[in-house]
Amino acid sequence: MRLVIHQSYEKASCWAAGYIAGRISSHNSGKPFVLGLPTGSSPLGIYREFIKMNREKKLSFSQVRTFNMDEYVGLPAEHPQSYHYFMMDNLFNHVDIDRKHVHILNGMAKDLVEECRLYEEAIAAEGGIELFLGGMGSDGHIAFNEPGSSLASRTRIKTLNEETLAANARFFEGDPSKVPATALTVGVGTVMDAREVVIIVNGKNKARALKAVVEEGVNHMWTLSCLQMHPRAMIVCDEDAAEELQVKTYRYFKNIEKANI
C-alpha cells in the first residue's frame, strides 16, 4: 500500500486529481479508460480539479467510462439527495463525458437484486475497472460496505447502520430518520477487482480509522483494510487524517514519497 500525505485537503485533492488525470491521459490500450467513482464530501476537491482541467483542455473524459459506487434505495435520479443527482451536479454536467458512458446504480429498480447483478455484468463487459477512486468513512468503510461486511462481497443491497445514517443526516435536514435505510453498493470484492485503487481521506474524524487501515491487520470491521491485499493501492490524505499514525509509520511514508510529491 502507498500512503501519500499532504499538508491540507486542498493539496491532497489537487495531487490526486493530477495523478488520476495522468493515468487517463496516458492510457494507450486502445480501449476506454474505466473509472470507478464515489460520492460524498471527500472527492469534491478532486471533482473541482477535474472540471478545471477539462475546461483548460488538459483532461478529456470523451474516452472514459464511469461506474459509481452506490445509490440510495427509493430515491429517484432527480431527487436532490440521490447520488445520480450529486454526480451530475458536481462532475458530469461540467465535463465532456458522453452520458451513455455513465453508469450509476438505479435505486428505483423494480428488481434490486437483478439491478446489482446487471451492474457487475456491465463492469465486466467494459473489461473491468482500471482505477477505482474512493473515500473512507469515519469507521473505515468504503462505499456502503460498513463494518462487518464480507471482504469478498459483490454489488448488493445493504442496510445502513446508525453511524452512517447519522453521518449522512446533514444532507437530509439533519434528521437521520429521513436518510434512506438501505442502499445499493458495490462490494469490497468489486473494488478489489479494479487494477488500481486510489482513496482520498481527510479530516481528524478519519484519523482513528486511517490508523487501523494502515497499521493494523486486515479486518472486516475496517473494510478499507482490504487494500493491504491489493497489488496497486494508494491512500492520499491530509495531515489531520494522519495525526494518529505512529511517528515511525508517518516518517516512513513521508520519506519514500519525497521524490513523488
Side-chain angles (χ1 to χ4, degrees), residues 157-174:
I157 308 165
K158 192 75 174 63
T159 300
L160 306 183
N161 67 23
E162 290 184 0
E163 185 170 343
T164 297
L165 296 177
N168 290 354
R170 66 189 188 278
F171 304 114
F172 293 85
E173 302 175 358

Side-chain angles (χ1 to χ4, degrees), residues 160-227:
L160 306 183
N161 67 23
E162 290 184 0
E163 185 170 343
T164 297
L165 296 177
N168 290 354
R170 66 189 188 278
F171 304 114
F172 293 85
E173 302 175 358
D175 186 352
S177 69
K178 294 183 179 180
V179 183
T182 55
L184 304 183
T185 182
V186 297
V188 178
T190 312
V191 175
M192 289 290 284
D193 279 352
R195 286 179 279 280
E196 182 172 11
V197 181
V198 176
I199 305 296
I200 180 77
V201 181
N202 66 287
K204 293 178 182 294
N205 66 317
K206 306 286 181 73
R208 177 171 173 264
L210 185 64
K211 175 181 175 61
V213 165
V214 173
E215 295 184 341
E216 297 177 13
V218 177
N219 188 329
H220 70 164
M221 298 308 292
W222 305 94
T223 55
L224 192 64
S225 66
C226 67
L227 292 189

Side-chain angles (χ1 to χ4, degrees), residues 22-164:
R23 289 279 282 108
I24 294 172
S25 299
S26 63
H27 186 67
N28 297 315
S29 71
K31 297 179 180 180
F33 189 95
V34 185
L35 179 64
L37 294 172
T39 53
S41 58
S42 295
L44 285 176
I46 294 174
Y47 292 163
R48 287 192 289 267
E49 288 297 319
F50 281 166
I51 293 168
K52 179 182 177 182
M53 287 187 279
N54 187 249
R55 288 176 176 170
E56 295 173 350
K57 308 298 183 184
K58 297 177 180 178
L59 172 65
S60 174
F61 288 85
S62 61
Q63 296 302 313
V64 174
R65 309 289 190 268
T66 66
F67 286 87
N68 260 80
M69 283 188 162
D70 39 33
E71 178 59 285
Y72 287 118
V73 169
L75 292 190
E78 62 272 15
H79 191 287
Q81 300 307 331
S82 75
Y83 289 159
H84 187 284
Y85 188 98
F86 176 98
M87 291 305 302
M88 294 299 168
D89 191 44
N90 289 289
L91 182 61
F92 297 141
N93 285 342
H94 310 286
V95 297
D96 62 337
I97 192 166
D98 191 325
R99 295 298 185 275
K100 70 182 181 183
H101 297 153
V102 171
H103 301 82
I104 302 175
L105 285 156
N106 179 11
M108 298 295 291
K110 291 183 179 179
D111 187 335
L112 296 175
V113 173
E114 180 69 359
E115 171 70 9
C116 294
R117 186 187 69 80
L118 291 174
Y119 205 68
E120 290 278 344
E121 285 190 358
I123 292 173
E126 290 286 1
I129 292 174
E130 183 67 27
L131 186 151
F132 224 134
L133 171 65
M136 181 188 73
S138 59
D139 57 5
H141 76 259
I142 182 169
F144 277 129
N145 296 290
E146 297 173 325
S149 294
S150 167
L151 300 185
S153 56
R154 313 302 303 188
T155 302
R156 68 204 189 285
I157 308 165
K158 192 75 174 63
T159 300
L160 306 183
N161 67 23
E162 290 184 0
E163 185 170 343
T164 297

